[in-house]
């Protein structure tokens, strides 16, 4: 059985409703959106795998209109509850989008508090800029994010 979600509030919907009974969103508006715009909405889908797939497809499409949504996700997912798989897909998508804004976004991501994300951003930035000796501004791995190196 198919499960339908409101693309605005993500509540589960019964069948083919025309208005969301929870938030009042006109679902016909969603039908008129372009495919990349629908994928941008899907970056907030309640099923994590759908969010990752949406980010990957946006990167494959080279959808520059997704860059502000990607930036918002990178800003939002900064605490210890961040979704590594989503952020990885977002950064890889950003690197694939042929837009000059991607460099600034990847540079910002090199300062992400999660070392895995910061390192990935560094590597992708080096690929995008064609620089192999780019000096990473983040700290080396030392265990759990935020811990200081015990051997220092």
């Amino acid at each position: 059985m198919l499960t339908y979600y409101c693309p605005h509030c993500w509540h589960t919907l019964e069948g083919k409703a025309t208005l969301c009974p929870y938030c009042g969103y006109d679902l016909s508006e969603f039908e008129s959106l372009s495919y990349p715009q629908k994928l941008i909405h899907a970056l907030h889908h309640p099923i994590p795998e759908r969010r990752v797939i949406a980010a990957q497809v946006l990167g494959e499409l080279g959808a520059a209109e997704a860059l502000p949504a990607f930036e918002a996700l990178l800003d939002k997912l900064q605490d210890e509850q961040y979704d590594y798989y989503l952020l990885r897909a977002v950064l890889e998508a950003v690197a694939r989008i042929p837009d000059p804004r991607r460099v600034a976004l990847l540079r910002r991501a090199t300062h992400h508090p999660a070392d895995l994300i910061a390192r990935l951003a560094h590597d992708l930035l080096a690929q995008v800029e064609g620089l192999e000796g780019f000096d990473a501004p983040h700290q080396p791995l030392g265990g759990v994010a935020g811990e200081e190196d015990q051997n220092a």
Side-chain angles (χ1 to χ4, degrees), residues 13-80:
L13 302 176
E14 305 247 347
K16 284 283 193 180
T18 57
L19 287 175
C20 175
Y22 300 97
C23 69
Y25 182 75
D26 181 1
L27 297 169
S28 64
E29 279 184 41
F30 185 74
E31 294 302 321
S32 67
L33 296 177
S34 69
Y35 185 56
Q37 290 169 329
K38 289 178 181 178
L39 289 169
I40 291 168
H41 275 279
L43 292 171
H44 304 286
H45 197 282
I47 299 174
E49 293 83 4
R50 301 274 172 97
R51 295 189 297 258
V52 170
I53 291 169
Q56 290 170 337
V57 174
L58 286 163
E60 291 286 329
L61 293 173
E65 62 262 47
L67 289 174
F70 287 158
E71 182 176 15
L73 280 173
L74 286 165
D75 289 343
K76 177 182 173 187
L77 301 175
Q78 296 240 352
D79 61 12
E80 63 254 2

Side-chain angles (χ1 to χ4, degrees), residues 61-150:
L61 293 173
E65 62 262 47
L67 289 174
F70 287 158
E71 182 176 15
L73 280 173
L74 286 165
D75 289 343
K76 177 182 173 187
L77 301 175
Q78 296 240 352
D79 61 12
E80 63 254 2
Q81 299 296 324
Y82 76 97
D83 181 345
Y84 169 75
Y85 298 103
L86 176 57
L87 289 182
R88 181 181 72 188
V90 164
L91 288 176
E92 289 172 349
V94 166
R96 297 185 83 161
I97 296 173
D99 186 290
R101 295 175 293 170
R102 71 181 175 172
V103 172
L105 190 50
L106 289 171
R107 281 191 191 280
R108 281 190 55 210
T110 63
H111 299 285
H112 194 277
D115 195 59
L116 288 173
I117 297 302
R119 285 179 177 269
L120 176 62
H122 167 266
D123 293 344
L124 290 169
L125 182 62
Q127 288 175 16
V128 165
E129 290 187 325
L131 300 174
E132 294 182 18
F134 180 75
D135 187 27
H138 59 275
Q139 300 296 318
L141 283 173
V144 178
E147 286 184 2
E148 292 188 32
D149 188 358
Q150 302 290 327

